[in-house]
Amino acid sequence: MKFAFAGIDFLGGVFESLVEAGWTPIKLFTRPCDGIYDHNEVVVAQARRHRLPMQLSRIKASDMEALAQSHGRDWALVVAGYPWLIRDWRGSAAYGVNFHPSPLPMGRGPYPLFKAVADAHTEWGVTAHVLGEEGFDTGDILAQERFALSGDETHESLLSKCQIAARRLAAGPIARDLPARWRGAEPQGEGSYWPRVTDADRTLDFRSDVAAILRRVRAFGTIETIARLGDNRVYVAAAEGWSEPHRHTPGTVVHRYRRHIVIAARDGYIQLNRWSPVAMTEAGHLGR
């Protein structure tokens, strides 16, 4: 089957899996990336290898119709990690499929992985669903893969699990059986929407227990959490901690040695092992 791909490297393995399964790519829709947390080098290189046209601007109805004029209407629009709601694809493409990194209908929204770890979910998943035109991540489910999360799950380990599962879904039920899956797609029903995280979500609360604080550090991983140290704020890349009774006010810096800083939590201590200052101009932004 022919397909156009809309996305970035985050779930770019879907593109590669479909090609390996025998599908023919016809166009890449991607978006500008910061090269720090968002990347599209791999999907762009794949598009160049296949000599595909590429588009960085938001998909419009005219873009869909242009593909239909060139390739007919028996093709699929495959979306994975694309930030804009795509409308008006029906009538131009036979299928519209979105890959979302959550076990829908739970975890709709731009990037649910942080909250999945921070909230200590024990199971997660990836869903391929019909590309909805009225709301994000609400279309009927075509296929889904679920997997267990460990007690010490990190953002990076969960991301890898989602990427591997997305590739399996693409190469398996979607590549081999999309028409039948399309006919048997199941409505999601009621679900939950998780908005984009803010700096407040990333900030460590030392009034919490040690386990909860360390879980939040793992939830953001290389994206980093934020800790308040008196009047200053720092980005935290790595931390550890231990439970121990004490009489310190949570948030108090109780020990420093070289770059290590130990801070009182509700039921013990958190040691910041890798951190960097937050510049004043960076306040209010996700990432640096």
PDB file of all heavy atoms in Angstrom, residues 57-95:
ATOM      1  N   SER A  57       5.452  22.580   6.767  1.00  0.00           N
ATOM      2  CA  SER A  57       4.289  23.343   7.210  1.00  0.00           C
ATOM      3  C   SER A  57       3.113  22.415   7.499  1.00  0.00           C
ATOM      4  O   SER A  57       3.098  21.246   7.099  1.00  0.00           O
ATOM      5  CB  SER A  57       3.886  24.372   6.156  1.00  0.00           C
ATOM      6  OG  SER A  57       3.588  23.736   4.921  1.00  0.00           O
ATOM      7  N   ARG A  58       2.136  22.944   8.197  1.00  0.00           N
ATOM      8  CA  ARG A  58       0.965  22.170   8.606  1.00  0.00           C
ATOM      9  C   ARG A  58       0.194  21.629   7.403  1.00  0.00           C
ATOM     10  O   ARG A  58       0.026  22.314   6.384  1.00  0.00           O
ATOM     11  CB  ARG A  58       0.051  23.057   9.463  1.00  0.00           C
ATOM     12  CG  ARG A  58      -1.165  22.346  10.007  1.00  0.00           C
ATOM     13  CD  ARG A  58      -1.913  23.247  10.960  1.00  0.00           C
ATOM     14  NE  ARG A  58      -3.069  22.577  11.527  1.00  0.00           N
ATOM     15  CZ  ARG A  58      -3.813  23.066  12.523  1.00  0.00           C
ATOM     16  NH1 ARG A  58      -3.489  24.239  13.052  1.00  0.00           N
ATOM     17  NH2 ARG A  58      -4.833  22.383  13.002  1.00  0.00           N
ATOM     18  N   ILE A  59      -0.277  20.397   7.524  1.00  0.00           N
ATOM     19  CA  ILE A  59      -1.036  19.764   6.453  1.00  0.00           C
ATOM     20  C   ILE A  59      -2.371  20.473   6.249  1.00  0.00           C
ATOM     21  O   ILE A  59      -3.100  20.736   7.203  1.00  0.00           O
ATOM     22  CB  ILE A  59      -1.287  18.275   6.765  1.00  0.00           C
ATOM     23  CG1 ILE A  59       0.039  17.512   6.831  1.00  0.00           C
ATOM     24  CG2 ILE A  59      -2.203  17.637   5.725  1.00  0.00           C
ATOM     25  CD1 ILE A  59      -0.106  16.076   7.299  1.00  0.00           C
ATOM     26  N   LYS A  60      -2.691  20.759   4.985  1.00  0.00           N
ATOM     27  CA  LYS A  60      -3.966  21.364   4.620  1.00  0.00           C
ATOM     28  C   LYS A  60      -4.733  20.424   3.704  1.00  0.00           C
ATOM     29  O   LYS A  60      -4.175  19.469   3.156  1.00  0.00           O
ATOM     30  CB  LYS A  60      -3.726  22.710   3.921  1.00  0.00           C
ATOM     31  CG  LYS A  60      -3.010  23.744   4.770  1.00  0.00           C
ATOM     32  CD  LYS A  60      -2.810  25.037   4.011  1.00  0.00           C
ATOM     33  CE  LYS A  60      -1.834  24.839   2.861  1.00  0.00           C
ATOM     34  NZ  LYS A  60      -1.492  26.114   2.198  1.00  0.00           N
ATOM     35  N   ALA A  61      -6.013  20.712   3.542  1.00  0.00           N
ATOM     36  CA  ALA A  61      -6.854  19.885   2.670  1.00  0.00           C
ATOM     37  C   ALA A  61      -6.284  19.836   1.257  1.00  0.00           C
ATOM     38  O   ALA A  61      -6.345  18.801   0.577  1.00  0.00           O
ATOM     39  CB  ALA A  61      -8.280  20.421   2.668  1.00  0.00           C
ATOM     40  N   SER A  62      -5.718  20.944   0.807  1.00  0.00           N
ATOM     41  CA  SER A  62      -5.158  20.989  -0.545  1.00  0.00           C
ATOM     42  C   SER A  62      -3.963  20.045  -0.691  1.00  0.00           C
ATOM     43  O   SER A  62      -3.723  19.501  -1.779  1.00  0.00           O
ATOM     44  CB  SER A  62      -4.744  22.421  -0.905  1.00  0.00           C
ATOM     45  OG  SER A  62      -3.811  22.926   0.035  1.00  0.00           O
ATOM     46  N   ASP A  63      -3.218  19.829   0.383  1.00  0.00           N
ATOM     47  CA  ASP A  63      -2.102  18.887   0.339  1.00  0.00           C
ATOM     48  C   ASP A  63      -2.602  17.459   0.159  1.00  0.00           C
ATOM     49  O   ASP A  63      -2.012  16.660  -0.573  1.00  0.00           O
ATOM     50  CB  ASP A  63      -1.269  18.982   1.621  1.00  0.00           C
ATOM     51  CG  ASP A  63      -0.676  20.353   1.837  1.00  0.00           C
ATOM     52  OD1 ASP A  63      -0.180  20.948   0.864  1.00  0.00           O
ATOM     53  OD2 ASP A  63      -0.719  20.837   2.993  1.00  0.00           O
ATOM     54  N   MET A  64      -3.694  17.144   0.849  1.00  0.00           N
ATOM     55  CA  MET A  64      -4.293  15.816   0.713  1.00  0.00           C
ATOM     56  C   MET A  64      -4.827  15.599  -0.704  1.00  0.00           C
ATOM     57  O   MET A  64      -4.623  14.546  -1.313  1.00  0.00           O
ATOM     58  CB  MET A  64      -5.424  15.642   1.733  1.00  0.00           C
ATOM     59  CG  MET A  64      -4.995  15.671   3.193  1.00  0.00           C
ATOM     60  SD  MET A  64      -4.049  14.215   3.706  1.00  0.00           S
ATOM     61  CE  MET A  64      -2.373  14.834   3.454  1.00  0.00           C
ATOM     62  N   GLU A  65      -5.494  16.590  -1.222  1.00  0.00           N
ATOM     63  CA  GLU A  65      -6.071  16.476  -2.557  1.00  0.00           C
ATOM     64  C   GLU A  65      -4.978  16.359  -3.615  1.00  0.00           C
ATOM     65  O   GLU A  65      -5.133  15.616  -4.597  1.00  0.00           O
ATOM     66  CB  GLU A  65      -6.974  17.669  -2.856  1.00  0.00           C
ATOM     67  CG  GLU A  65      -7.672  17.609  -4.203  1.00  0.00           C
ATOM     68  CD  GLU A  65      -8.525  16.358  -4.388  1.00  0.00           C
ATOM     69  OE1 GLU A  65      -9.046  15.808  -3.391  1.00  0.00           O
ATOM     70  OE2 GLU A  65      -8.666  15.916  -5.556  1.00  0.00           O
ATOM     71  N   ALA A  66      -3.861  17.074  -3.416  1.00  0.00           N
ATOM     72  CA  ALA A  66      -2.757  16.981  -4.373  1.00  0.00           C
ATOM     73  C   ALA A  66      -2.196  15.559  -4.417  1.00  0.00           C
ATOM     74  O   ALA A  66      -1.862  15.046  -5.501  1.00  0.00           O
ATOM     75  CB  ALA A  66      -1.663  17.971  -4.002  1.00  0.00           C
ATOM     76  N   LEU A  67      -2.101  14.905  -3.259  1.00  0.00           N
ATOM     77  CA  LEU A  67      -1.644  13.518  -3.242  1.00  0.00           C
ATOM     78  C   LEU A  67      -2.641  12.600  -3.930  1.00  0.00           C
ATOM     79  O   LEU A  67      -2.253  11.654  -4.628  1.00  0.00           O
ATOM     80  CB  LEU A  67      -1.402  13.061  -1.805  1.00  0.00           C
ATOM     81  CG  LEU A  67      -0.144  13.608  -1.117  1.00  0.00           C
ATOM     82  CD1 LEU A  67      -0.097  13.178   0.341  1.00  0.00           C
ATOM     83  CD2 LEU A  67       1.116  13.160  -1.849  1.00  0.00           C
ATOM     84  N   ALA A  68      -3.930  12.872  -3.724  1.00  0.00           N
ATOM     85  CA  ALA A  68      -4.953  12.062  -4.391  1.00  0.00           C
ATOM     86  C   ALA A  68      -4.887  12.218  -5.900  1.00  0.00           C
ATOM     87  O   ALA A  68      -5.070  11.247  -6.649  1.00  0.00           O
ATOM     88  CB  ALA A  68      -6.334  12.457  -3.880  1.00  0.00           C
ATOM     89  N   GLN A  69      -4.604  13.420  -6.356  1.00  0.00           N
ATOM     90  CA  GLN A  69      -4.494  13.650  -7.795  1.00  0.00           C
ATOM     91  C   GLN A  69      -3.301  12.897  -8.380  1.00  0.00           C
ATOM     92  O   GLN A  69      -3.352  12.423  -9.521  1.00  0.00           O
ATOM     93  CB  GLN A  69      -4.343  15.153  -8.070  1.00  0.00           C
ATOM     94  CG  GLN A  69      -5.576  15.973  -7.757  1.00  0.00           C
ATOM     95  CD  GLN A  69      -6.744  15.647  -8.677  1.00  0.00           C
ATOM     96  OE1 GLN A  69      -6.562  15.305  -9.840  1.00  0.00           O
ATOM     97  NE2 GLN A  69      -7.956  15.719  -8.137  1.00  0.00           N
ATOM     98  N   SER A  70      -2.236  12.772  -7.598  1.00  0.00           N
ATOM     99  CA  SER A  70      -1.024  12.112  -8.093  1.00  0.00           C
ATOM    100  C   SER A  70      -1.044  10.599  -7.920  1.00  0.00           C
ATOM    101  O   SER A  70      -0.465   9.870  -8.727  1.00  0.00           O
ATOM    102  CB  SER A  70       0.203  12.679  -7.376  1.00  0.00           C
ATOM    103  OG  SER A  70       0.350  14.058  -7.613  1.00  0.00           O
ATOM    104  N   HIS A  71      -1.701  10.112  -6.860  1.00  0.00           N
ATOM    105  CA  HIS A  71      -1.591   8.696  -6.505  1.00  0.00           C
ATOM    106  C   HIS A  71      -2.932   7.977  -6.410  1.00  0.00           C
ATOM    107  O   HIS A  71      -2.971   6.817  -5.986  1.00  0.00           O
ATOM    108  CB  HIS A  71      -0.856   8.561  -5.168  1.00  0.00           C
ATOM    109  CG  HIS A  71       0.543   9.092  -5.194  1.00  0.00           C
ATOM    110  ND1 HIS A  71       1.598   8.388  -5.717  1.00  0.00           N
ATOM    111  CD2 HIS A  71       1.058  10.291  -4.774  1.00  0.00           C
ATOM    112  CE1 HIS A  71       2.714   9.113  -5.611  1.00  0.00           C
ATOM    113  NE2 HIS A  71       2.413  10.267  -5.042  1.00  0.00           N
ATOM    114  N   GLY A  72      -4.005   8.643  -6.772  1.00  0.00           N
ATOM    115  CA  GLY A  72      -5.309   8.042  -6.575  1.00  0.00           C
ATOM    116  C   GLY A  72      -5.731   8.182  -5.118  1.00  0.00           C
ATOM    117  O   GLY A  72      -5.117   8.930  -4.350  1.00  0.00           O
ATOM    118  N   ARG A  73      -6.744   7.455  -4.729  1.00  0.00           N
ATOM    119  CA  ARG A  73      -7.265   7.605  -3.372  1.00  0.00           C
ATOM    120  C   ARG A  73      -7.117   6.342  -2.524  1.00  0.00           C
ATOM    121  O   ARG A  73      -7.600   6.289  -1.399  1.00  0.00           O
ATOM    122  CB  ARG A  73      -8.732   8.043  -3.431  1.00  0.00           C
ATOM    123  CG  ARG A  73      -8.874   9.357  -4.194  1.00  0.00           C
ATOM    124  CD  ARG A  73     -10.298   9.889  -4.271  1.00  0.00           C
ATOM    125  NE  ARG A  73     -10.331  11.018  -5.207  1.00  0.00           N
ATOM    126  CZ  ARG A  73     -10.014  12.284  -4.896  1.00  0.00           C
ATOM    127  NH1 ARG A  73      -9.655  12.579  -3.670  1.00  0.00           N
ATOM    128  NH2 ARG A  73     -10.074  13.240  -5.813  1.00  0.00           N
ATOM    129  N   ASP A  74      -6.419   5.358  -3.048  1.00  0.00           N
ATOM    130  CA  ASP A  74      -6.196   4.118  -2.293  1.00  0.00           C
ATOM    131  C   ASP A  74      -4.817   4.168  -1.633  1.00  0.00           C
ATOM    132  O   ASP A  74      -3.898   3.441  -2.009  1.00  0.00           O
ATOM    133  CB  ASP A  74      -6.318   2.908  -3.218  1.00  0.00           C
ATOM    134  CG  ASP A  74      -6.301   1.597  -2.430  1.00  0.00           C
ATOM    135  OD1 ASP A  74      -6.570   1.642  -1.208  1.00  0.00           O
ATOM    136  OD2 ASP A  74      -6.019   0.544  -3.032  1.00  0.00           O
ATOM    137  N   TRP A  75      -4.665   5.027  -0.643  1.00  0.00           N
ATOM    138  CA  TRP A  75      -3.423   5.151   0.096  1.00  0.00           C
ATOM    139  C   TRP A  75      -3.764   5.524   1.539  1.00  0.00           C
ATOM    140  O   TRP A  75      -4.906   5.853   1.853  1.00  0.00           O
ATOM    141  CB  TRP A  75      -2.486   6.188  -0.534  1.00  0.00           C
ATOM    142  CG  TRP A  75      -3.051   7.563  -0.681  1.00  0.00           C
ATOM    143  CD1 TRP A  75      -3.862   8.019  -1.677  1.00  0.00           C
ATOM    144  CD2 TRP A  75      -2.868   8.672   0.208  1.00  0.00           C
ATOM    145  NE1 TRP A  75      -4.197   9.340  -1.484  1.00  0.00           N
ATOM    146  CE2 TRP A  75      -3.597   9.770  -0.329  1.00  0.00           C
ATOM    147  CE3 TRP A  75      -2.162   8.856   1.389  1.00  0.00           C
ATOM    148  CZ2 TRP A  75      -3.641  11.005   0.298  1.00  0.00           C
ATOM    149  CZ3 TRP A  75      -2.191  10.096   2.006  1.00  0.00           C
ATOM    150  CH2 TRP A  75      -2.921  11.160   1.462  1.00  0.00           C
ATOM    151  N   ALA A  76      -2.771   5.472   2.400  1.00  0.00           N
ATOM    152  CA  ALA A  76      -3.002   5.733   3.821  1.00  0.00           C
ATOM    153  C   ALA A  76      -2.162   6.923   4.285  1.00  0.00           C
ATOM    154  O   ALA A  76      -0.993   7.062   3.907  1.00  0.00           O
ATOM    155  CB  ALA A  76      -2.643   4.502   4.654  1.00  0.00           C
ATOM    156  N   LEU A  77      -2.763   7.762   5.099  1.00  0.00           N
ATOM    157  CA  LEU A  77      -2.036   8.804   5.814  1.00  0.00           C
ATOM    158  C   LEU A  77      -1.697   8.237   7.185  1.00  0.00           C
ATOM    159  O   LEU A  77      -2.594   7.923   7.972  1.00  0.00           O
ATOM    160  CB  LEU A  77      -2.885  10.064   5.943  1.00  0.00           C
ATOM    161  CG  LEU A  77      -2.279  11.195   6.803  1.00  0.00           C
ATOM    162  CD1 LEU A  77      -0.967  11.689   6.209  1.00  0.00           C
ATOM    163  CD2 LEU A  77      -3.274  12.347   6.958  1.00  0.00           C
ATOM    164  N   VAL A  78      -0.406   8.091   7.477  1.00  0.00           N
ATOM    165  CA  VAL A  78       0.051   7.500   8.727  1.00  0.00           C
ATOM    166  C   VAL A  78       0.702   8.587   9.576  1.00  0.00           C
ATOM    167  O   VAL A  78       1.649   9.239   9.129  1.00  0.00           O
ATOM    168  CB  VAL A  78       1.047   6.350   8.475  1.00  0.00           C
ATOM    169  CG1 VAL A  78       1.544   5.767   9.795  1.00  0.00           C
ATOM    170  CG2 VAL A  78       0.386   5.264   7.623  1.00  0.00           C
ATOM    171  N   VAL A  79       0.197   8.767  10.784  1.00  0.00           N
ATOM    172  CA  VAL A  79       0.632   9.853  11.657  1.00  0.00           C
ATOM    173  C   VAL A  79       1.278   9.266  12.913  1.00  0.00           C
ATOM    174  O   VAL A  79       0.727   8.342  13.518  1.00  0.00           O
ATOM    175  CB  VAL A  79      -0.574  10.751  12.040  1.00  0.00           C
ATOM    176  CG1 VAL A  79      -0.122  11.902  12.933  1.00  0.00           C
ATOM    177  CG2 VAL A  79      -1.265  11.275  10.785  1.00  0.00           C
ATOM    178  N   ALA A  80       2.425   9.832  13.301  1.00  0.00           N
ATOM    179  CA  ALA A  80       3.111   9.363  14.510  1.00  0.00           C
ATOM    180  C   ALA A  80       4.011  10.490  15.018  1.00  0.00           C
ATOM    181  O   ALA A  80       5.089  10.717  14.479  1.00  0.00           O
ATOM    182  CB  ALA A  80       3.936   8.111  14.217  1.00  0.00           C
ATOM    183  N   GLY A  81       3.550  11.215  16.034  1.00  0.00           N
ATOM    184  CA  GLY A  81       4.335  12.305  16.575  1.00  0.00           C
ATOM    185  C   GLY A  81       4.183  13.596  15.811  1.00  0.00           C
ATOM    186  O   GLY A  81       5.138  14.360  15.667  1.00  0.00           O
ATOM    187  N   TYR A  82       2.976  13.877  15.338  1.00  0.00           N
ATOM    188  CA  TYR A  82       2.693  15.098  14.566  1.00  0.00           C
ATOM    189  C   TYR A  82       1.843  16.008  15.448  1.00  0.00           C
ATOM    190  O   TYR A  82       0.835  15.561  15.999  1.00  0.00           O
ATOM    191  CB  TYR A  82       1.951  14.730  13.287  1.00  0.00           C
ATOM    192  CG  TYR A  82       1.874  15.829  12.256  1.00  0.00           C
ATOM    193  CD1 TYR A  82       2.999  16.214  11.536  1.00  0.00           C
ATOM    194  CD2 TYR A  82       0.672  16.462  11.979  1.00  0.00           C
ATOM    195  CE1 TYR A  82       2.930  17.201  10.569  1.00  0.00           C
ATOM    196  CE2 TYR A  82       0.584  17.453  11.019  1.00  0.00           C
ATOM    197  CZ  TYR A  82       1.717  17.825  10.309  1.00  0.00           C
ATOM    198  OH  TYR A  82       1.636  18.810   9.354  1.00  0.00           O
ATOM    199  N   PRO A  83       2.198  17.297  15.619  1.00  0.00           N
ATOM    200  CA  PRO A  83       1.554  18.120  16.648  1.00  0.00           C
ATOM    201  C   PRO A  83       0.222  18.744  16.266  1.00  0.00           C
ATOM    202  O   PRO A  83      -0.500  19.217  17.132  1.00  0.00           O
ATOM    203  CB  PRO A  83       2.593  19.224  16.890  1.00  0.00           C
ATOM    204  CG  PRO A  83       3.241  19.404  15.556  1.00  0.00           C
ATOM    205  CD  PRO A  83       3.307  18.018  14.959  1.00  0.00           C
ATOM    206  N   TRP A  84      -0.098  18.756  14.969  1.00  0.00           N
ATOM    207  CA  TRP A  84      -1.292  19.469  14.528  1.00  0.00           C
ATOM    208  C   TRP A  84      -2.431  18.504  14.204  1.00  0.00           C
ATOM    209  O   TRP A  84      -2.218  17.420  13.663  1.00  0.00           O
ATOM    210  CB  TRP A  84      -0.981  20.301  13.295  1.00  0.00           C
ATOM    211  CG  TRP A  84       0.034  21.374  13.532  1.00  0.00           C
ATOM    212  CD1 TRP A  84      -0.053  22.402  14.436  1.00  0.00           C
ATOM    213  CD2 TRP A  84       1.299  21.525  12.872  1.00  0.00           C
ATOM    214  NE1 TRP A  84       1.072  23.189  14.366  1.00  0.00           N
ATOM    215  CE2 TRP A  84       1.919  22.682  13.421  1.00  0.00           C
ATOM    216  CE3 TRP A  84       1.967  20.824  11.867  1.00  0.00           C
ATOM    217  CZ2 TRP A  84       3.164  23.133  12.996  1.00  0.00           C
ATOM    218  CZ3 TRP A  84       3.218  21.269  11.445  1.00  0.00           C
ATOM    219  CH2 TRP A  84       3.793  22.404  12.005  1.00  0.00           C
ATOM    220  N   LEU A  85      -3.636  18.917  14.550  1.00  0.00           N
ATOM    221  CA  LEU A  85      -4.821  18.127  14.199  1.00  0.00           C
ATOM    222  C   LEU A  85      -5.013  18.173  12.688  1.00  0.00           C
ATOM    223  O   LEU A  85      -5.000  19.251  12.088  1.00  0.00           O
ATOM    224  CB  LEU A  85      -6.052  18.696  14.907  1.00  0.00           C
ATOM    225  CG  LEU A  85      -7.360  17.911  14.749  1.00  0.00           C
ATOM    226  CD1 LEU A  85      -7.237  16.524  15.364  1.00  0.00           C
ATOM    227  CD2 LEU A  85      -8.515  18.682  15.393  1.00  0.00           C
ATOM    228  N   ILE A  86      -5.174  17.018  12.090  1.00  0.00           N
ATOM    229  CA  ILE A  86      -5.306  16.916  10.631  1.00  0.00           C
ATOM    230  C   ILE A  86      -6.775  16.711  10.280  1.00  0.00           C
ATOM    231  O   ILE A  86      -7.389  15.726  10.685  1.00  0.00           O
ATOM    232  CB  ILE A  86      -4.464  15.757  10.078  1.00  0.00           C
ATOM    233  CG1 ILE A  86      -2.995  15.948  10.469  1.00  0.00           C
ATOM    234  CG2 ILE A  86      -4.614  15.662   8.566  1.00  0.00           C
ATOM    235  CD1 ILE A  86      -2.118  14.760  10.136  1.00  0.00           C
ATOM    236  N   ARG A  87      -7.314  17.644   9.553  1.00  0.00           N
ATOM    237  CA  ARG A  87      -8.706  17.556   9.127  1.00  0.00           C
ATOM    238  C   ARG A  87      -8.765  17.362   7.608  1.00  0.00           C
ATOM    239  O   ARG A  87      -7.793  17.550   6.900  1.00  0.00           O
ATOM    240  CB  ARG A  87      -9.471  18.821   9.520  1.00  0.00           C
ATOM    241  CG  ARG A  87      -9.648  19.001  11.026  1.00  0.00           C
ATOM    242  CD  ARG A  87     -10.572  20.187  11.312  1.00  0.00           C
ATOM    243  NE  ARG A  87     -11.003  20.232  12.695  1.00  0.00           N
ATOM    244  CZ  ARG A  87     -10.405  20.918  13.646  1.00  0.00           C
ATOM    245  NH1 ARG A  87      -9.319  21.626  13.358  1.00  0.00           N
ATOM    246  NH2 ARG A  87     -10.853  20.897  14.882  1.00  0.00           N
ATOM    247  N   ASP A  88      -9.920  16.953   7.149  1.00  0.00           N
ATOM    248  CA  ASP A  88     -10.210  16.914   5.705  1.00  0.00           C
ATOM    249  C   ASP A  88      -9.326  15.942   4.933  1.00  0.00           C
ATOM    250  O   ASP A  88      -9.006  16.180   3.765  1.00  0.00           O
ATOM    251  CB  ASP A  88     -10.076  18.320   5.091  1.00  0.00           C
ATOM    252  CG  ASP A  88     -10.985  19.339   5.761  1.00  0.00           C
ATOM    253  OD1 ASP A  88     -12.137  18.980   6.064  1.00  0.00           O
ATOM    254  OD2 ASP A  88     -10.544  20.482   5.986  1.00  0.00           O
ATOM    255  N   TRP A  89      -8.924  14.843   5.561  1.00  0.00           N
ATOM    256  CA  TRP A  89      -8.184  13.842   4.813  1.00  0.00           C
ATOM    257  C   TRP A  89      -9.118  12.832   4.149  1.00  0.00           C
ATOM    258  O   TRP A  89      -8.764  12.214   3.140  1.00  0.00           O
ATOM    259  CB  TRP A  89      -7.185  13.107   5.716  1.00  0.00           C
ATOM    260  CG  TRP A  89      -7.815  12.364   6.874  1.00  0.00           C
ATOM    261  CD1 TRP A  89      -8.029  12.822   8.127  1.00  0.00           C
ATOM    262  CD2 TRP A  89      -8.335  11.025   6.846  1.00  0.00           C
ATOM    263  NE1 TRP A  89      -8.647  11.869   8.901  1.00  0.00           N
ATOM    264  CE2 TRP A  89      -8.841  10.751   8.132  1.00  0.00           C
ATOM    265  CE3 TRP A  89      -8.422  10.039   5.859  1.00  0.00           C
ATOM    266  CZ2 TRP A  89      -9.432   9.527   8.455  1.00  0.00           C
ATOM    267  CZ3 TRP A  89      -9.002   8.819   6.172  1.00  0.00           C
ATOM    268  CH2 TRP A  89      -9.492   8.574   7.472  1.00  0.00           C
ATOM    269  N   ARG A  90     -10.302  12.674   4.715  1.00  0.00           N
ATOM    270  CA  ARG A  90     -11.256  11.720   4.141  1.00  0.00           C
ATOM    271  C   ARG A  90     -11.690  12.206   2.757  1.00  0.00           C
ATOM    272  O   ARG A  90     -11.936  13.387   2.548  1.00  0.00           O
ATOM    273  CB  ARG A  90     -12.480  11.564   5.042  1.00  0.00           C
ATOM    274  CG  ARG A  90     -12.159  10.892   6.373  1.00  0.00           C
ATOM    275  CD  ARG A  90     -13.412  10.729   7.209  1.00  0.00           C
ATOM    276  NE  ARG A  90     -13.134  10.213   8.539  1.00  0.00           N
ATOM    277  CZ  ARG A  90     -13.081   8.915   8.843  1.00  0.00           C
ATOM    278  NH1 ARG A  90     -13.311   8.008   7.906  1.00  0.00           N
ATOM    279  NH2 ARG A  90     -12.805   8.536  10.079  1.00  0.00           N
ATOM    280  N   GLY A  91     -11.774  11.293   1.845  1.00  0.00           N
ATOM    281  CA  GLY A  91     -12.089  11.642   0.461  1.00  0.00           C
ATOM    282  C   GLY A  91     -10.847  11.738  -0.396  1.00  0.00           C
ATOM    283  O   GLY A  91     -10.919  11.573  -1.613  1.00  0.00           O
ATOM    284  N   SER A  92      -9.706  12.009   0.253  1.00  0.00           N
ATOM    285  CA  SER A  92      -8.439  12.027  -0.473  1.00  0.00           C
ATOM    286  C   SER A  92      -7.660  10.737  -0.256  1.00  0.00           C
ATOM    287  O   SER A  92      -7.025  10.217  -1.173  1.00  0.00           O
ATOM    288  CB  SER A  92      -7.584  13.220  -0.023  1.00  0.00           C
ATOM    289  OG  SER A  92      -8.215  14.441  -0.344  1.00  0.00           O
ATOM    290  N   ALA A  93      -7.689  10.221   0.966  1.00  0.00           N
ATOM    291  CA  ALA A  93      -7.010   8.969   1.310  1.00  0.00           C
ATOM    292  C   ALA A  93      -8.039   7.932   1.736  1.00  0.00           C
ATOM    293  O   ALA A  93      -9.102   8.271   2.257  1.00  0.00           O
ATOM    294  CB  ALA A  93      -6.006   9.199   2.434  1.00  0.00           C
ATOM    295  N   ALA A  94      -7.704   6.661   1.526  1.00  0.00           N
ATOM    296  CA  ALA A  94      -8.613   5.594   1.952  1.00  0.00           C
ATOM    297  C   ALA A  94      -8.553   5.384   3.452  1.00  0.00           C
ATOM    298  O   ALA A  94      -9.545   4.989   4.078  1.00  0.00           O
ATOM    299  CB  ALA A  94      -8.272   4.299   1.222  1.00  0.00           C
ATOM    300  N   TYR A  95      -7.392   5.644   4.045  1.00  0.00           N
ATOM    301  CA  TYR A  95      -7.199   5.388   5.463  1.00  0.00           C
ATOM    302  C   TYR A  95      -6.411   6.532   6.105  1.00  0.00           C
ATOM    303  O   TYR A  95      -5.530   7.130   5.485  1.00  0.00           O
ATOM    304  CB  TYR A  95      -6.415   4.082   5.688  1.00  0.00           C
ATOM    305  CG  TYR A  95      -6.978   2.888   4.974  1.00  0.00           C
ATOM    306  CD1 TYR A  95      -6.429   2.458   3.768  1.00  0.00           C
ATOM    307  CD2 TYR A  95      -8.071   2.190   5.489  1.00  0.00           C
ATOM    308  CE1 TYR A  95      -6.942   1.354   3.098  1.00  0.00           C
ATOM    309  CE2 TYR A  95      -8.601   1.095   4.825  1.00  0.00           C
ATOM    310  CZ  TYR A  95      -8.042   0.681   3.632  1.00  0.00           C
ATOM    311  OH  TYR A  95      -8.556  -0.401   2.970  1.00  0.00           O
TER     312      TYR A  95
END
